[in-house]
Amino acid sequence: MSDVPILKVENLCKSYGDLEVLKSVSFEIYKGEKKVFVGPSGTGKSTLLRCINQLTIPDSGFVYLNGEEIVHSGKKINGYRQKMGMVFQNFNLFDHLTAVRNVELALLKVKKLDKAAAHEKAMYELEQVGMADRADFYPAQLSGGQAQRVSIARALAMDPEVMLFDEPTSALDPELKREVMEVMRKLADRGMTCIVVTHEMKFATSFATEIYLMEKGEIVEHGPPSDIPTSPGFVKTRAFMGSYVEE
Amino acid sequence: MTDSINATGADGGLGGFFQNLTDSIISQIPFWQDVLLPALWDGLWVTMQLVVMTAPLGFLLGLLIAVSRVYGSAPVKWLAQLYVIFFRGCPLLVLLFILYFGLPSVGIVLGSFMSALVGFILCNSAYNSEYLRGALQSIKRGQLLAARSLGMTKMQGVMYVVVPQALRRALPGVSNEFIYLIKYSSLAYVVAVIELTGAAKIIASKYFMYFEAFAAVGIFYLVIVTIATIGIHRLEMKYAIPGVSGAVGKVSKGH
Ligand SMILES: Nc1ncnc2c1ncn2[C@@H]1O[C@H](COP(=O)(O)OP(=O)(O)O)[C@@H](O)[C@H]1O
Ligand SMILES: [Mg+2]
């Protein structure tokens, strides 16, 4: 574990009008760690992820990527964002491009690779997620699980240092969730640093190095998943998981 | 009944009627060959020039206006909006009068063809911008977010992700506007541009052959519009996204 965290979030605050969505959220993540955020809907988990890569600009607070502050970094944010791959609940694949072109686009336009190099890199990433045989399919021709795997490949192609997953399996049928989780586990095994928002409790506890419970814009409990069943510090988390399973 | 037919034919009977009709058509061949068609070809050439120059410029300007309205800064948005309000609100006829008869009084002389061309481009771009704006706004927000999450600038995201998708959605509207353009290009005659309709009008009144001249011109427009429609259909097929409803796929669906 190096001494500078890959990502450090400090006192992040964000409001929409009168609604305080994030109330001074702080945490840090080191290389290879997997932090999983759980909590009821509408508590600001997505907002937190978007405030990390600045797709949403926080009202106050700081985000440090390898020690560099990025909230107020102006145009340099486009460079920083490549280091933080993001996977969305609804995949957000570019609808007009085939799977392989989805992965190639930012390689061509952002990383400025030439066509052959971009194609080779894109095919490699598709292979990693088991989607090389669907390279020429358009998003509308893919199942949800396949589309999500392509979107993971697209993010990985930028060689990120940390991956942000925002409910990557929530839009998927149960049997399709598994293929995406498998890809994520494989990624984790290769040492990728991950921040994951999910409602899949079994996956969360087996995947995470640390679990965070968010409620109303705040981290209310956190710790290693092995503590969840017994620790007094995980009372609310146990209640949340219990209520969630029953739902 | 038979009487009226007999009355038409010089030597009586049905055969005589057709004989007469054929004679009259044959007698008109020199008029068609030497007068009407050459004039219409000249007019067609002018119409084509107007349409072929207006369409791409009107489209690109429309796209620029639409992108400005959706993604521009506040003042840029405002200017683009003003442009649309003015040039969509102003009747084309009035716009052409202003350009041709009005501008010279402030020292700007565009001439006939230029006045028509500029008027058409302003009008065409204003309408196109509305189709394109609607299409841009209909593209899901997540598309641009995903582009930006990969490190693309807003400009790159708009250019490589949003616009290509929006163009496909705007194609029916923009095509419709193109067909309109072919037809309203006949308004150029008010600023003394002798295009297809103007040419027919001149011949018709000079030779008192209204039916022939306008029937011919109608057929000309029909042919142009039909060719344009086929071209548009090809374009729609070519750019259809496989797997999206209504689209014809290049790749068959998996499984
Ligand atoms: N762009 C926005 N404008 C206004 N309100 C928003 C916006 N984005 C999120 N919110 C609100 O912020 C709250 C937290 O949303 P979100 O971060 O998506 O929660 P979660 O991901 O935990 O379900 C919700 O009440 C949501 O309605
Ligand atoms: Mg969310």
Side-chain angles (χ1 to χ4, degrees):
Chain A
M1 214 180 265
S2 63
D3 42 1
V4 178
I6 285 190
L7 208 58
K8 181 177 176 183
V9 172
E10 210 174 80
N11 301 327
L12 272 191
C13 295
K14 179 71 191 176
S15 298
Y16 289 110
D18 289 338
L19 182 69
E20 282 184 81
V21 180
L22 293 180
K23 301 171 191 164
S24 195
V25 174
S26 304
F27 73 96
E28 53 189 40
I29 181 167
Y30 290 87
K31 186 163 171 42
E33 287 187 315
K34 287 101 184 88
K35 309 245 168 178
V36 175
F37 286 77
V38 299
S41 286
T43 50
K45 303 181 299 294
S46 297
T47 305
L48 173 61
L49 289 192
R50 285 203 308 269
C51 280
I52 289 173
N53 70 356
Q54 306 301 306
L55 287 179
T56 296
I57 308 295
D59 297 333
S60 63
F62 304 95
V63 177
Y64 301 91
L65 181 68
N66 293 316
E68 285 180 69
E69 210 289 306
I70 65 170
V71 177
H72 307 100
S73 58
K75 284 213 163 70
K76 278 165 82 181
I77 190 60
N78 296 317
Y80 292 132
R81 282 203 187 109
Q82 298 172 46
K83 300 278 154 234
M84 304 179 274
M86 189 167 216
V87 173
F88 300 85
Q89 185 175 344
N90 300 318
F91 333 132
N92 290 340
L93 285 182
F94 306 135
D95 291 334
H96 63 304
L97 298 176
T98 60
V100 67
R101 305 271 260 112
N102 259 274
V103 185
E104 283 172 13
L105 186 64
L107 293 172
L108 294 167
K109 305 301 177 189
V110 179
K111 286 223 188 276
K112 313 277 184 204
L113 298 189
D114 64 48
K115 268 191 178 163
H119 187 75
E120 193 181 333
K121 171 85 169 150
M123 286 308 295
Y124 170 81
E125 296 298 348
L126 285 178
E127 218 150 284
Q128 293 300 303
V129 299
M131 286 296 297
D133 61 331
R134 293 282 187 275
D136 293 325
F137 282 53
Y138 283 81
Q141 298 173 314
L142 299 172
S143 73
Q146 294 173 333
Q148 192 60 297
R149 280 146 65 198
V150 172
S151 95
I152 293 172
R154 180 176 68 177
L156 290 175
M158 305 307 282
D159 295 323
E161 291 179 27
V162 53
M163 286 288 287
L164 313 174
F165 291 91
D166 190 0
E167 300 198 31
T169 61
S170 292
L172 302 178
D173 294 336
E175 66 271 27
L176 300 180
K177 289 181 197 286
R178 205 173 316 122
E179 64 187 62
V180 172
M181 292 178 194
E182 267 165 29
V183 166
M184 291 171 69
R185 280 190 203 284
K186 205 175 130 197
L187 199 57
D189 291 343
R190 294 207 316 249
M192 178 57 77
T193 313
C194 298
I195 300 176
V196 183
V197 172
T198 186
H199 287 301
E200 299 295 323
M201 295 309 160
K202 263 171 91 178
F203 173 76
T205 48
S206 63
F207 184 84
T209 54
E210 189 158 12
I211 295 253
Y212 290 77
L213 176 68
M214 274 189 78
E215 269 176 11
K216 295 180 182 153
E218 287 173 302
I219 294 171
V220 288
E221 292 178 347
H222 67 101
S226 55
D227 286 0
I228 293 177
T230 53
S231 164
F234 268 136
V235 177
K236 288 181 174 173
T237 307
R238 280 197 293 274
F240 171 71
M241 288 187 169
S243 71
Y244 204 81
V245 171
E246 278 162 31
E247 257 173 30
Chain B
M1 191 67 189
T2 9
D3 282 353
S4 68
I5 289 175
N6 279 343
T8 344
D11 58 305
L14 210 54
F17 169 73
F18 283 113
Q19 183 62 50
N20 259 6
L21 193 66
T22 321
D23 283 350
S24 104
I25 289 175
I26 288 173
S27 72
Q28 278 193 21
I29 286 179
F31 165 74
W32 283 70
Q33 230 172 26
D34 302 335
V35 180
L36 185 57
L37 287 180
L40 293 188
W41 282 122
D42 287 350
L44 177 66
W45 174 237
V46 176
T47 293
M48 293 302 262
Q49 280 179 305
L50 282 170
V51 169
V52 165
M53 285 192 228
T54 301
L57 292 172
F59 169 74
L60 287 176
L61 197 55
L63 183 59
L64 187 74
I65 299 291
V67 169
S68 304
R69 279 192 72 179
V70 180
Y71 296 105
S73 60
V76 170
K77 263 186 184 149
W78 187 79
L79 278 175
Q81 170 122 41
L82 209 66
Y83 180 95
V84 175
I85 289 175
F86 189 78
F87 293 116
R88 206 165 60 124
C90 185
L92 182 55
L93 199 62
V94 176
L95 186 59
L96 292 175
F97 281 151
I98 293 173
L99 291 167
Y100 186 63
F101 298 109
L103 287 188
S105 65
V106 294
I108 303 169
V109 181
L110 290 177
S112 288
F113 187 81
M114 260 315 207
S115 296
L117 186 62
V118 170
F120 291 167
I121 289 172
L122 293 175
C123 174
N124 185 255
S125 62
Y127 276 94
N128 276 341
S129 82
E130 283 293 276
Y131 292 117
L132 289 161
R133 178 179 65 98
L136 288 170
Q137 285 169 335
S138 79
I139 304 301
K140 281 177 273 132
R141 221 173 77 88
Q143 295 283 307
L144 186 56
L145 279 183
R148 302 227 58 191
S149 78
L150 293 164
M152 283 187 231
T153 62
K154 187 170 167 186
M155 186 85 128
Q156 287 177 318
V158 169
M159 225 162 86
Y160 300 124
V161 175
V162 183
V163 166
Q165 295 181 46
L167 290 186
R168 289 170 166 88
R169 287 198 194 171
L171 195 56
V174 171
S175 308
N176 216 19
E177 205 45 43
F178 180 67
I179 303 287
Y180 275 133
L181 166 66
I182 293 172
K183 297 195 273 183
Y184 68 58
S185 69
S186 64
L187 274 182
Y189 83 89
V190 303
V191 292
V193 175
I194 301 164
E195 40 62 68
L196 194 47
T197 308
K201 197 169 290 179
I202 290 170
I203 300 299
S205 49
K206 189 168 167 190
Y207 293 88
F208 213 67
M209 300 278 245
Y210 287 95
F211 178 73
E212 292 81 353
F214 287 117
V217 113
I219 292 167
F220 269 64
Y221 278 114
L222 204 62
V223 170
I224 306 173
V225 168
T226 304
I227 292 171
T229 307
I230 292 169
I232 290 161
H233 184 67
R234 291 244 170 110
L235 219 58
E236 279 176 3
M237 299 282 277
K238 183 170 175 211
Y239 288 104
I241 300 170
V244 175
S245 72
V248 182
K250 288 179 208 149
V251 184
S252 61
K253 185 156 169 59
H255 313 295

